[in-house]
Amino acid sequence: QVQVVESGGGLVQAGGSLRLSCAASGSIFSIGSMGWYRQAPGKQRELVATITSGGSTNYADSLQGRFTISRDNAKRMVFLQMNSLEPEDTAVYYCNARITPHRHPTGDYWGQGTQVTVSS
């Protein structure tokens, strides 16, 4: 069974920083792209950033420069460093991983989400 679990959310003042972590575990053969998405109240889930197994990154245009995605392939983890946070960044942040489990087809796996709240 494959699991994707996020951690690191919380409450922070505007201008502050948070670092989110996400770990994949279970019977995993390989992991392709990993990424972060977010969903604010009343809004659709949107892309924050993705990173390939080779380290190529992609960011939402509005977030590049404040957010940095990275990963540790050996630990099967992906991170999101968020700086200069704004109240508009308040959302539930979800980790996504494209995983090929042992003896199972490749699929997209999602974490349960971690709440980030930025106060003004």
Side-chain angles (χ1 to χ4, degrees):
Q1 185 176 357
V2 173
Q3 282 189 315
V4 174
V5 179
E6 305 99 334
S7 61
L11 174 65
V12 64
Q13 288 188 330
S17 298
L18 278 177
R19 187 179 190 236
L20 305 182
S21 300
C22 170
S25 63
S27 183
I28 295 173
F29 176 74
S30 66
I31 303 177
S33 180
M34 303 181 81
W36 291 94
Y37 295 74
R38 69 184 185 183
Q39 187 166 16
K43 295 187 176 182
Q44 288 188 329
R45 190 173 297 189
E46 63 177 2
L47 168 73
V48 174
T50 61
I51 184 167
T52 67
S53 57
S56 296
T57 58
N58 178 55
Y59 293 90
D61 289 342
S62 61
L63 299 177
Q64 195 160 8
R66 294 194 298 123
F67 289 14
T68 302
I69 190 170
S70 61
R71 69 189 278 174
D72 184 328
N73 289 331
K75 295 182 178 179
R76 297 172 174 173
M77 296 186 71
V78 63
F79 308 96
L80 185 68
Q81 178 67 42
M82 304 184 293
N83 298 327
S84 303
L85 283 162
E86 304 168 354
E88 293 72 24
D89 295 317
T90 295
V92 178
Y93 284 70
Y94 296 92
C95 176
N96 170 269
R98 186 98 176 141
I99 294 174
T100 304
H102 285 288
R103 295 180 295 277
H104 288 279
T106 301
D108 280 319
Y109 290 79
W110 292 88
Q112 80 288 351
T114 185
Q115 177 70 46
V116 172
T117 303
V118 184
S119 63
S120 57

